[in-house]
Amino acid sequence: MSEDTKMASFLSEPLAQCDPEMYELVRKEKQRQIRGLEMIASENFTSRGVLETLGSCLTNKYSEGYPGVRYYGGNEIIDQIESLTQKRALTAFGLKDDEWGVNVQPLSGCPANFAVYSALLEPHSRIMGLDLPDGGHLSHGYATPSKKISFTSVYFENMPYKVNPQTGLIDYEELARTAKLFRPKIIIAGISCYSRNLEYDKFRQICDDVGAILLADMAHVSGLVAAKVVADPFPYADIVTTTTHKSLRGPRAAMIFYRKGPKRPQVVNKSDNSVQMYDYEKKINEAIFPGLQGGPHNNAIGAIGVALKQAASEEFKAYAQQVVKNAKQLVQTLKEKGYTFVAGGTDTHLALLDLRPIGLDGAKVERVLEVVSIAVNKNTCPGDKSALKPSGIRFGTPALTTRGFRENDIVRVAEFIDRAVKIAQEINQNDSNQLLKDFKANMKLDQHAKKLDELKEEIENFASQFPMPGYESI
Ligand code: DSN
C-alpha cells in the first residue's frame, strides 16, 4: 500500500476503528440517553437530519464575515446555507424581512446575549434581568454582595427584578417602580426557570416608560413560540435572542433577531421631521464578528436551518402542544400526590418542584433521581438563601415528548419520581440538616441501595421502550 493510500484509509476509518475508546464512551452515553428519563428542561434529542448536518463537511470551512462579504475564498455554498437559514428563521417565527433581521452565527446563548449588550450599550451601562435565584439566567447578569459572578455584571451594571415570593410570579409593579429609579438601557424578558408565560406587553410598557430597549431571551421556549403554544415576544420586543437546542430541538447554537425599519414607538427628528429608524443590524452583526467571534460554525448554521424547516411542520406543532400537555400532566399528577410547585403550575415546558414542604433539598433529590436514571437539575426556589443548597427541582418535558411520551406515560413518570422522593425521605430521616455527603453515604446502605436499584431497573425497562431519534448506532 502506498503512503498516500495508507493516509487516505487512515483518515477514512470509522470512529469505532480509529478511536475505539472514544467510540465506546459515545456509545455508552447514547445508551444512557435511551435507558434514562431525560427531564432537564433545557435539553432535547435532535433529529437525524440535524446530526447529519452537524457531522458534515460544513465543519471544515472558514467563513469569517457574512454572506457576500467574507474574508476567505470558497464560500459560495456557505453563503447559500447561511442565507437559507436566515430566511427559514424569519419564516419559522412569522416575521417580515423588512421589519426583522437575524444573525445566525452566535456560538451559543451566553455569547449571543453578551453580543447584544456589547452592540447596543457602552461599558457599565445599566441593564435589568430576572434575578438568577428567582429563575433568571447568568447571562442576564448576576452578582452576590461579595462577587460579580457573571461577566455581564463585570462589564455592565445590573439591577435584578424579582418574583413575588408568595405567588412565584414576576412582580411587574415592582419592576416598573425600580426601572424608573434605575433607568436601565436594556430590560431583559427571559428565564432559565420560570414556568408561566411572560407578559411581554407589560415589559413593553415598562421599557417605553423609561426609554429602555426590550430584549426578549426566548431560549427555553423558542420551539413553543414557533408553534404558537406560548406567548410570542416578537410583537413587543426590539431584540429577541434564542438558543437553538432547547425546545426548538436543533443543534447547540444561537440566533439574534433584531428589529429593522422605523423605531417603535415612533420617534420624529425635530430638525427635519424625519422618522428615526432602528440601527441594530450593523451593530449586532459587528458585535458578533469581528467583535466577539471569529469563524462561524457552519455545520451548526446548516443544522439550525434543518431544525427551522422541521419547526415549520405540522409534526413539530403537535410535538410542541404535547410538550405543554405533558408538563401540565406532570404537575397535576404530582400535585395529586401532595407535592407543591412554584407559581402553582406551568404554562410551558417546565415546572419547579418546591421541596421545602417535605423537608428535602434539590441537591439530595437530584442525586437520588440521577441514581435511578432520571436526569433533572436542582434549582433555587424564590426566597432561597443559598444557590448551593437550593430547595427545588426543575423538570422539563421537551426531551421525553420528542421520544413520544404522552400524558399516560407522564403519569408513570410522576409515579417513578414520587417513589424516588419517598426513598430520599427515608434516607434523609426527616433531618433537613443532614449534609449531602452523609446523605450520599447513606444512599449506599443496603436497605436504600436495594430499593434504588429496583427502581432504576424498572425505570430503564420503561424508558427503553420509547424510540430515540438520531443514528441507530451512536
Ligand atoms: N443551561 C441552560 C438552562 O438549563 O437553562 C441555560 O443556559
Side-chain angles (χ1 to χ4, degrees):
M1 206 189 279
S2 74
E3 284 307 309
D4 283 353
T5 319
K6 263 202 240 162
M7 178 58 82
S9 83
F10 169 73
L11 292 175
S12 297
E13 281 176 358
L15 181 62
Q17 219 172 309
C18 77
D19 189 342
E21 191 181 2
M22 186 58 76
Y23 175 83
E24 188 51 20
L25 288 172
V26 179
R27 197 193 62 77
K28 278 188 181 156
E29 169 58 13
K30 173 97 176 183
Q31 284 308 309
R32 188 198 67 78
Q33 292 184 10
I34 291 171
R35 289 203 199 114
L37 296 173
E38 202 65 60
M39 301 192 75
I40 290 180
S42 45
E43 289 186 12
N44 215 326
F45 300 114
T46 197
S47 67
R48 180 165 177 155
V50 167
L51 289 177
E52 282 181 8
T53 316
L54 276 176
S56 72
C57 64
L58 300 185
T59 201
N60 295 333
K61 190 70 195 113
Y62 251 121
S63 56
E64 287 171 357
Y66 289 99
V69 211
R70 305 282 186 182
Y71 288 82
Y72 292 85
N75 273 303
E76 314 83 77
I77 311 296
I78 296 296
D79 279 3
Q80 290 175 47
I81 288 169
E82 186 164 338
S83 300
L84 178 61
T85 296
Q86 287 174 309
K87 185 163 160 263
R88 286 180 178 173
L90 298 186
T91 307
F93 294 98
L95 307 174
K96 295 188 185 141
D97 64 6
D98 57 344
E99 293 179 356
W100 287 91
V102 60
N103 187 307
V104 294
Q105 293 194 4
L107 303 180
S108 206
C110 292
N113 285 338
F114 204 80
V116 173
Y117 313 140
S118 310
L120 306 183
L121 304 177
E122 296 299 320
H124 297 290
S125 295
R126 295 173 183 183
I127 62 173
M128 291 183 78
L130 181 59
D131 208 7
L132 185 89
D134 290 34
H137 191 254
L138 268 176
S139 65
H140 305 163
Y142 182 54
T144 65
S146 58
K147 192 169 178 203
K148 296 186 171 186
I149 307 284
S150 158
F151 271 21
T152 302
S153 299
V154 174
Y155 295 104
F156 303 96
E157 305 303 322
N158 82 290
M159 174 186 261
Y161 57 89
K162 309 280 293 173
V163 299
N164 174 322
Q166 266 73 50
T167 61
L169 301 175
I170 289 173
D171 190 340
Y172 292 95
E173 281 177 20
E174 181 69 0
L175 167 59
R177 201 182 65 75
T178 47
K180 279 187 186 138
L181 296 172
F182 190 61
R183 298 262 155 201
K185 289 277 190 320
I186 289 182
I187 296 179
I188 305 146
I191 61 100
S192 178
C193 187
Y194 184 75
S195 59
R196 294 300 184 182
N197 270 311
L198 293 183
E199 297 180 57
Y200 295 109
D201 53 342
K202 290 188 178 163
F203 278 108
R204 180 74 262 166
Q205 185 60 55
I206 295 166
C207 284
D208 289 346
D209 288 348
V210 299
I213 293 165
L214 177 55
L215 161 61
D217 176 351
M218 62 167 185
H220 263 264
V221 292
S222 54
L224 311 181
V225 171
K228 299 192 183 345
V229 297
V230 296
D232 184 352
F234 284 99
Y236 304 98
D238 301 300
I239 304 271
V240 178
T241 56
T242 183
T243 49
T244 48
H245 46 273
K246 298 188 174 86
S247 57
L248 192 58
R249 214 163 56 183
R252 302 194 84 85
M255 301 188 281
I256 303 171
F257 295 86
Y258 47 84
R259 276 197 177 272
K260 290 163 48 174
K263 273 194 178 161
R264 297 170 353 134
Q266 202 181 66
V267 187
V268 178
N269 291 317
K270 286 205 180 99
S271 54
D272 59 359
N273 277 344
S274 61
V275 170
Q276 277 185 21
M277 309 294 276
Y278 282 107
D279 59 356
Y280 296 161
E281 181 165 13
K282 188 167 182 294
K283 290 177 174 174
I284 296 281
N285 286 341
E286 287 182 358
I288 288 290
F289 176 82
L292 289 164
Q293 295 185 184
H297 294 182
N298 295 306
N299 56 333
I301 291 174
I304 298 174
V306 175
L308 289 167
K309 178 170 189 289
Q310 292 171 338
S313 66
E314 284 307 310
E315 288 86 348
F316 188 90
K317 193 168 175 62
Y319 141 82
Q321 286 166 343
Q322 191 64 45
V323 165
V324 178
K325 283 186 203 164
N326 284 349
K328 286 179 187 290
Q329 184 66 60
L330 182 74
V331 168
Q332 187 192 317
T333 311
L334 285 172
K335 273 176 135 180
E336 284 164 6
K337 292 180 185 298
Y339 292 93
T340 306
F341 282 86
V342 172
T346 183
D347 301 322
T348 65
H349 64 301
L350 74 79
L352 179 56
L353 176 64
D354 187 345
L355 296 160
R356 287 171 289 197
I358 56 170
L360 279 165
D361 67 64
K364 289 174 182 168
V365 173
E366 178 194 279
R367 180 63 192 145
V368 164
L369 291 172
E370 185 173 44
V371 161
V372 299
S373 294
I374 301 179
V376 296
N377 66 281
K378 56 185 168 298
N379 214 100
T380 45
C381 289
D384 271 352
K385 298 279 175 287
S386 160
L388 297 175
K389 198 183 167 194
S391 356
I393 287 285
R394 186 182 67 162
F395 290 107
T397 52
L400 293 186
T401 308
T402 290
R403 292 188 70 184
F405 283 60
R406 301 286 174 267
E407 285 98 320
N408 53 334
D409 308 308
I410 294 293
V411 171
R412 288 285 308 277
V413 170
E415 286 164 1
F416 289 136
I417 291 167
D418 177 45
R419 281 168 59 190
V421 173
K422 292 214 159 74
I423 300 174
Q425 281 179 304
E426 286 172 24
I427 301 168
N428 204 42
Q429 294 171 325
N430 287 330
D431 178 7
S432 55
N433 291 324
Q434 189 183 83
L435 295 177
L436 183 61
K437 75 172 171 44
D438 296 331
F439 180 88
K440 282 183 180 171
N442 288 338
M443 282 172 72
K444 294 188 183 135
L445 297 174
D446 277 355
Q447 74 267 31
H448 303 311
K450 188 164 173 294
K451 283 188 189 166
L452 291 169
D453 280 349
E454 280 168 9
L455 183 56
K456 176 186 167 129
E457 193 181 337
E458 233 181 285
I459 289 172
E460 292 197 344
N461 286 338
F462 172 70
S464 302
Q465 295 163 22
F466 291 84
M468 173 64 77
Y471 300 112
E472 306 258 304
S473 54
I474 59 169

